[in-house]
Amino acid sequence: EAGEMSTVQEVNSRVRGIRAPVNLQGLAACISEQIGVKKPFKSVIDVSSGDPHKAGMPPISFIRQVMAVCLYPELLKEKSLPLDVRQRAQKLLDMCSGGSVGSYSTTSIGLPEVQKSISEFITRRDGGVLSHPEDIILTIGSQKGLSVFLNLLTSGEGKTQTGVLTPMPCPHTLPMLLDMTGLALVPYRLFEEQGWAVNLDELHRALEAGRVHCEPKAIYISNPGNPTGYVQDRETIEKVIRFAATNCLIILAEEVHQGSVYGQDKEFISYKKVLSEMGKTYAETMELVSFHSISTAYIGECGLRGGYMEVVNIDPAVKKCLNFTPSAPVLPQLALELSLNPPRPEDSSYNSYTQIHHIEDTLSQNAKRALEFLNRVEGMSCQPSMAGPFLYPRVHLPPHMVEEAKRLGVKADVLYCQRLLEEEGICVGAGCENGQEDKNYHIRHRYLLIDNKINQFHRSFCEAMLTG
Amino acid sequence: EAGEMSTVQEVNSRVRGIRAPVNLQGLAACISEQIGVKKPFKSVIDVSSGDPHKAGMPPISFIRQVMAVCLYPELLKEKSLPLDVRQRAQKLLDMCSGGSVGSYSTTSIGLPEVQKSISEFITRRDGGVLSHPEDIILTIGSQKGLSVFLNLLTSGEGKTQTGVLTPMPCPHTLPMLLDMTGLALVPYRLFEEQGWAVNLDELHRALEAGRVHCEPKAIYISNPGNPTGYVQDRETIEKVIRFAATNCLIILAEEVHQGSVYGQDKEFISYKKVLSEMGKTYAETMELVSFHSISTAYIGECGLRGGYMEVVNIDPAVKKCLNFTPSAPVLPQLALELSLNPPRPEDSSYNSYTQIHHIEDTLSQNAKRALEFLNRVEGMSCQPSMAGPFLYPRVHLPPHMVEEAKRLGVKADVLYCQRLLEEEGICVGAGCENGQEDKNYHIRHRYLLIDNKINQFHRSFCEAMLTG
């Protein structure tokens, strides 16, 4: 009587076509279990993702204190907590329905006060270019926000499938996300020799190539670049906007590393700001979505999963749909509000909050040290990074390793990462996960490890290189 | 040079077809602003959604205390907090990478210890029927979990579009969610006269009717029923499973109100338990997904957005895809773990935790009082509810109101709700939002208001009825 086969597998051919991640984390977990028995190292160090707290970076006390009070309001009476912490918590609780972080967000796209606070931050950041609270949509992290928006673009099959111009290399979760959503990935190369800059000729080539097999409707930008650390200048941004306008492409600007630019004389300029200064024709018609997150920079609250998107000139029908998604979680909204409005000099938490300057300095020094180190290692070269948590060095692999990988049926950079993990307990990301498909090999790793950890990592890394 | 029109609107015809919610909340917000000027009441009371904290139900101190400590681990030293709270917080922090709730969840589907804890809860709940940790997927609330799963089922257009058998009435967010995901809603009626029970003949009729315009691949069940409060018995569940098996339908069982059954001699029986006891042919082949949440019952942590799905016999390719979604937030996982493993008699928080019994009693008494009240009101009748936060009474509307609604181009139940809101400041849900499309009108409201609030509500409600 019961059906003889499971049914999901026939439902959706898409499901079988989704590219799987390399899953070095699985191997890392296996190896962790062998420590003390078969492995000479003391722990597995995972530097493949940008997760600062996991690497030992401390959370910002002010943010955590306020959130703790919001969760357990009895702490409002706790005199050992700074006064401004308790006052701020009360202010945030007043924004919540029924005074509880356990109530649904007043509107599904966010608490109105938080939307307002974010739009004020953006207006300040962009030197007065107005941001509107109703254009701010709170998300469950930038990836989830992106997937909500991408889902609305999904349409067609085969040659009518919606395509998204995607940089190569790109954030390592993006190719999978596009597959999951049912969108076609249209790759455009970034040029390593130019520090991973965007090239307009390449955009034109990519678009033409994409049009053969799908209908490109959007261009994804990562600025500052993940994993490249490249920061786009105003001129480049203008050109990209003109290109998108000419070709009716929506701009999806992942700008989550805007708060961690450390390259000399480099500054983050938002797509929104440049767009607003290109005249009415552009400023009032070009569809742009910008994504930000609390997982990055010195905040690093990856586990909370919070962020926002700002939608500019977006079709009201689409905007209405964004309102229909399930209600945004409340706590990450509060964390976001706190991170954008830190204590002021007159507040009692101001001095302790200055710990962020120490973190910022450490991060930027680590980045420089790591870069110098990598470029001294024989068989490695790395473009200067200017922002974000990653370095993306090219690794020159010996021919015997490339052949062995072929024999084993894995990509050579994956084999290299597996070896590094097995022999030294260091987990870096394989460059191919970032969509890179040229003849060169790369690895992705963060330089976030603080102080002596980074030395330990580098020594092991160096040895692995010589033995690899 | 810039494109002359925005592009999202052409991309996806689906976007324009999404049914919009009635948005009484928008009206409620407008009316709130008129209080003191044009309105005689002191505040707008929103009883249209099941949000207990908004209605004044207190959060569980134990859960909030432990979470506060997890966020700000300095509180581990705080002697004024119960010992078991601090010990439990330490245990949860040990589950987090780098000992911080700010790190990404160890795996994207959840912290392994939390998965294990949930599977143990399910095994206990189902009287020993084994649940496996690897089948537990942590979600951002049951709706988000459902939308992730539905997204994997989305396929085809027109007659090949995937369809989902959906109860009428159903949870009020479901029709929109199906539209958003691009799935066809195939309605099956629940029978009011039988207390909103599922009827097998109706399932057969609905399936045949659905096959004319789409390809039904799944059946959605809400048990205990949202908004009906109906609790299915073992016999019904068995029949539904047989029906689904014969017709190769995946069962999507929304079981979020399992913890709030108050009907006399009624108990929650899970689809998983019944399935496991129907013999190997069923137990080892039928695809079943069960959804649960921390937003319900005496926990009511809607703002945290947390839940899980248990996937049974699901195609490994699909399961792999579920692993690819962005990482689950950490804090709601911890709240879920705490709610499933409350303090034991030997723990110092045990006595204070018994506040839940008071809440449980209050809720069940409120439900009974509200039901009696509604059935005494002329022009209203309500089936006995056995579980969950809602009542779904039928409202007999005077013909002049139905005609006026026609003239105004709104549904009559919507007009009734607007009037109740405008005249009395009480916001209930329009029955049509729950997909109900028969000749009768209904409203949806929770009875969660505690103590004197419920009396105030009922008096106003009664007056509105007489003047309506």
Side-chain angles (χ1 to χ4, degrees):
Chain A
E1 193 178 3
E4 276 181 21
M5 58 188 305
S6 60
T7 55
V8 174
Q9 57 181 306
E10 324 146 51
V11 169
N12 194 346
S13 56
R14 187 156 46 88
V15 167
R16 305 219 161 257
I18 294 172
R19 67 202 89 188
V22 173
N23 197 17
L24 284 163
Q25 273 65 36
L27 180 59
C30 292
I31 287 174
S32 292
E33 284 171 16
Q34 296 170 2
I35 287 170
V37 188
K38 292 183 189 167
K39 294 295 171 189
F41 40 83
K42 283 185 187 151
S43 67
V44 168
I45 299 174
D46 183 355
V47 287
S48 67
S49 78
D51 188 339
H53 292 189
K54 186 174 175 184
M57 191 182 91
I60 307 290
S61 296
F62 173 73
I63 293 178
R64 292 300 192 85
Q65 286 172 332
V66 177
M67 290 180 76
V69 179
C70 288
L71 267 168
Y72 186 55
E74 285 291 309
L75 294 172
L76 284 167
K77 301 176 215 148
E78 182 56 54
K79 295 267 163 57
S80 66
L81 289 169
L83 180 64
D84 64 329
V85 161
R86 290 177 283 142
Q87 287 171 335
R88 191 68 175 270
Q90 186 59 64
K91 219 174 135 189
L92 295 180
L93 285 172
D94 291 342
M95 298 177 186
C96 302
S97 303
S100 170
V101 296
S103 304
Y104 285 117
S105 180
T106 331
T107 79
S108 72
I109 57 167
L111 300 166
E113 294 87 345
V114 175
Q115 291 174 290
K116 186 162 168 283
S117 189
I118 293 169
S119 68
E120 287 165 357
F121 155 76
I122 295 172
T123 303
R124 283 197 306 274
R125 179 199 71 189
D126 289 346
V129 175
L130 273 185
S131 165
H132 307 285
E134 66 272 20
D135 290 342
I136 307 300
I137 290 150
L138 276 296
T139 66
I140 308 171
S142 60
Q143 277 186 75
K144 270 278 180 198
L146 179 63
S147 82
V148 166
F149 198 87
L150 289 177
N151 200 37
L152 295 175
L153 294 182
T154 310
S155 181
E157 282 181 15
K159 286 196 173 183
T160 66
Q161 191 185 18
T162 303
V164 179
L165 266 78
T166 306
M168 299 280 113
C170 66
H172 69 282
T173 50
L174 186 60
M176 212 162 57
L177 194 61
L178 293 172
D179 286 348
M180 289 271 285
T181 325
L183 292 161
L185 189 159
V186 180
Y188 66 89
R189 274 169 313 191
L190 303 175
F191 286 85
E192 185 166 12
E193 293 69 24
Q194 294 153 34
W196 301 108
V198 181
N199 177 299
L200 262 286
D201 291 336
E202 169 62 10
L203 287 186
H204 283 286
R205 184 209 60 77
L207 182 65
E208 288 315 308
R211 280 179 175 155
V212 175
H213 63 88
C214 70
E215 293 184 6
K217 301 274 189 185
I219 178 168
Y220 180 94
I221 301 286
S222 176
N223 180 49
N226 172 349
T228 65
Y230 181 80
V231 177
Q232 296 182 10
D233 58 18
R234 176 183 292 268
E235 201 192 333
T236 304
I237 296 174
E238 266 192 36
K239 283 183 189 165
V240 172
I241 292 174
R242 275 182 227 279
F243 167 80
T246 312
N247 297 290
C248 283
L249 300 172
I250 300 156
I251 300 176
L252 307 172
E254 180 265 274
E255 303 183 315
V256 302
H257 294 301
Q258 59 186 264
S260 51
V261 176
Y262 53 78
Q264 217 169 359
D265 304 325
K266 294 289 166 188
E267 60 163 343
F268 168 76
I269 311 171
S270 76
Y271 266 71
K272 164 95 179 293
K273 180 174 167 65
V274 177
L275 177 63
S276 76
E277 292 165 358
M278 285 172 70
K280 269 194 171 185
T281 327
Y282 289 99
E284 294 179 3
T285 62
M286 275 301 296
E287 291 185 285
L288 166 69
V289 188
S290 163
F291 300 88
H292 198 7
S293 159
I294 49 169
S295 303
T296 54
Y298 55 84
I299 307 294
E301 293 284 4
C302 303
L304 289 180
R305 316 301 299 120
Y308 71 82
M309 51 183 162
E310 185 184 23
V311 298
V312 179
N313 297 324
I314 291 296
D315 181 358
V318 170
K319 223 165 134 180
K320 216 169 73 181
C321 282
L322 293 171
N323 272 287
F324 299 165
T325 54
S327 193
V330 171
L331 288 176
Q333 295 188 53
L334 305 186
L336 194 56
E337 206 281 333
L338 291 166
S339 72
L340 300 180
N341 291 297
R344 294 169 193 198
E346 64 271 25
D347 296 329
S348 36
S349 297
Y350 182 75
N351 281 336
S352 75
Y353 196 80
T354 52
Q355 63 173 286
I356 65 154
H357 299 307
H358 173 67
I359 297 176
E360 285 174 326
D361 290 348
T362 310
L363 293 181
S364 108
Q365 279 163 23
N366 282 355
K368 279 170 206 159
R369 265 197 284 168
L371 186 68
E372 282 167 24
F373 174 85
L374 289 173
N375 280 322
R376 276 201 308 270
V377 173
E378 203 172 336
M380 252 195 205
S381 58
C382 189
Q383 292 294 322
S385 166
M386 313 163 191
F390 294 117
L391 291 175
Y392 193 66
R394 186 193 293 190
V395 183
H396 306 270
L397 299 181
H400 71 84
M401 195 173 203
V402 177
E403 276 161 40
E404 195 185 339
K406 232 179 238 164
R407 214 170 44 242
L408 293 168
V410 293
K411 288 182 180 167
D413 53 351
V414 174
L415 181 62
Y416 176 85
C417 293
Q418 288 172 343
R419 288 286 157 81
L420 189 59
L421 185 50
E422 282 167 1
E423 289 170 24
E424 303 294 331
I426 293 170
C427 183
V428 299
C432 62
E433 285 186 304
N434 298 84
Q436 192 65 1
E437 285 205 5
D438 59 10
K439 60 183 196 314
N440 301 313
Y441 299 104
H442 295 83
I443 57 171
R444 173 190 74 250
H445 69 92
R446 64 172 146 72
Y447 56 80
L448 284 171
L449 292 173
I450 289 168
D451 303 332
N452 62 348
K453 275 193 190 171
I454 199 156
N455 292 320
Q456 181 194 339
F457 158 63
H458 277 179
R459 261 202 307 280
S460 309
F461 197 71
C462 185
E463 285 164 27
M465 270 311 301
L466 298 175
T467 58
Chain B
E1 194 177 1
E4 275 180 24
M5 58 190 303
S6 61
T7 54
V8 175
Q9 56 181 308
E10 327 145 49
V11 169
N12 194 348
S13 56
R14 187 156 47 87
V15 166
R16 305 221 161 256
I18 294 172
R19 67 201 88 189
V22 173
N23 197 17
L24 284 162
Q25 272 65 37
L27 181 59
C30 291
I31 287 174
S32 291
E33 283 170 16
Q34 297 171 1
I35 287 171
V37 188
K38 295 182 188 168
K39 295 295 173 190
F41 40 82
K42 283 188 188 146
S43 66
V44 168
I45 299 174
D46 182 357
V47 287
S48 66
S49 79
D51 188 338
H53 292 190
K54 186 176 175 181
M57 190 181 94
I60 307 291
S61 296
F62 173 73
I63 293 178
R64 292 300 192 86
Q65 287 171 332
V66 177
M67 288 179 77
V69 179
C70 288
L71 266 168
Y72 187 54
E74 284 290 309
L75 294 171
L76 284 166
K77 300 176 215 145
E78 182 57 56
K79 294 268 160 58
S80 66
L81 289 168
L83 181 64
D84 64 329
V85 162
R86 291 176 282 142
Q87 288 171 335
R88 193 68 176 273
Q90 185 59 64
K91 219 174 134 188
L92 295 180
L93 284 172
D94 291 343
M95 297 178 186
C96 301
S97 303
S100 170
V101 297
S103 304
Y104 285 117
S105 180
T106 330
T107 78
S108 73
I109 59 169
L111 299 166
E113 294 87 345
V114 176
Q115 290 174 292
K116 186 163 169 281
S117 189
I118 294 170
S119 69
E120 286 165 359
F121 155 77
I122 295 173
T123 302
R124 285 196 306 273
R125 179 199 71 189
D126 289 347
V129 175
L130 273 185
S131 165
H132 307 284
E134 66 273 20
D135 290 343
I136 307 300
I137 289 150
L138 277 297
T139 65
I140 307 170
S142 61
Q143 277 186 75
K144 269 279 177 194
L146 179 63
S147 81
V148 166
F149 198 87
L150 289 177
N151 199 37
L152 295 176
L153 294 181
T154 310
S155 181
E157 283 179 14
K159 286 196 173 183
T160 67
Q161 190 186 19
T162 302
V164 179
L165 266 80
T166 307
M168 299 279 109
C170 66
H172 69 282
T173 50
L174 187 60
M176 213 162 55
L177 194 60
L178 293 172
D179 286 349
M180 289 272 284
T181 325
L183 293 160
L185 189 158
V186 180
Y188 65 90
R189 277 169 313 196
L190 303 174
F191 287 86
E192 185 165 13
E193 293 70 25
Q194 295 153 34
W196 300 108
V198 180
N199 177 298
L200 260 286
D201 291 337
E202 169 61 10
L203 286 186
H204 283 287
R205 184 209 60 76
L207 182 65
E208 287 316 308
R211 279 180 176 156
V212 174
H213 63 88
C214 69
E215 294 185 4
K217 302 275 189 183
I219 178 168
Y220 181 95
I221 301 286
S222 176
N223 181 48
N226 172 350
T228 66
Y230 181 80
V231 177
Q232 296 183 9
D233 58 16
R234 175 181 294 270
E235 201 190 334
T236 305
I237 295 174
E238 265 192 38
K239 283 182 189 163
V240 172
I241 292 174
R242 274 180 228 280
F243 167 80
T246 312
N247 297 290
C248 284
L249 300 172
I250 300 157
I251 300 176
L252 306 172
E254 180 266 275
E255 303 183 315
V256 303
H257 295 302
Q258 59 185 268
S260 52
V261 176
Y262 53 79
Q264 216 168 3
D265 304 326
K266 293 289 166 190
E267 59 163 342
F268 167 76
I269 311 171
S270 76
Y271 265 73
K272 163 95 181 291
K273 180 175 166 68
V274 176
L275 177 63
S276 76
E277 292 165 359
M278 285 172 71
K280 269 196 172 185
T281 325
Y282 290 98
E284 294 178 4
T285 62
M286 275 299 297
E287 290 184 286
L288 166 69
V289 187
S290 164
F291 300 89
H292 198 6
S293 160
I294 48 169
S295 302
T296 54
Y298 54 85
I299 306 294
E301 294 284 4
C302 303
L304 288 181
R305 316 301 299 119
Y308 70 81
M309 52 183 160
E310 185 185 22
V311 297
V312 179
N313 296 323
I314 291 294
D315 182 355
V318 170
K319 224 164 132 180
K320 215 169 73 180
C321 283
L322 294 171
N323 272 287
F324 299 165
T325 55
S327 193
V330 170
L331 288 174
Q333 295 189 54
L334 305 186
L336 194 56
E337 206 281 334
L338 291 167
S339 73
L340 300 179
N341 292 296
R344 297 170 191 196
E346 65 271 25
D347 296 329
S348 34
S349 297
Y350 182 74
N351 282 336
S352 74
Y353 196 82
T354 52
Q355 64 172 285
I356 66 154
H357 299 307
H358 172 67
I359 298 176
E360 284 174 326
D361 290 348
T362 311
L363 292 182
S364 109
Q365 280 164 25
N366 283 355
K368 279 169 205 160
R369 267 195 286 166
L371 186 68
E372 283 167 23
F373 173 86
L374 288 173
N375 280 321
R376 276 201 309 270
V377 174
E378 205 172 333
M380 252 197 206
S381 59
C382 189
Q383 292 293 322
S385 165
M386 313 162 189
F390 294 116
L391 291 175
Y392 194 68
R394 186 193 293 190
V395 185
H396 306 270
L397 299 182
H400 71 84
M401 194 173 204
V402 176
E403 276 161 42
E404 194 186 340
K406 232 180 238 163
R407 212 169 47 241
L408 294 168
V410 295
K411 288 182 179 168
D413 52 352
V414 174
L415 181 62
Y416 175 85
C417 293
Q418 289 172 343
R419 289 285 157 82
L420 190 58
L421 186 50
E422 281 166 2
E423 289 169 25
E424 302 294 332
I426 291 168
C427 182
V428 300
C432 62
E433 284 185 304
N434 298 85
Q436 192 66 2
E437 286 206 4
D438 60 10
K439 62 183 192 316
N440 301 313
Y441 299 103
H442 295 83
I443 55 170
R444 173 190 75 250
H445 68 93
R446 63 172 148 72
Y447 57 82
L448 284 172
L449 292 174
I450 288 168
D451 303 332
N452 64 349
K453 278 195 187 168
I454 200 154
N455 291 319
Q456 180 195 341
F457 159 63
H458 275 178
R459 261 201 310 280
S460 310
F461 197 71
C462 186
E463 285 163 28
M465 272 312 300
L466 298 175
T467 58

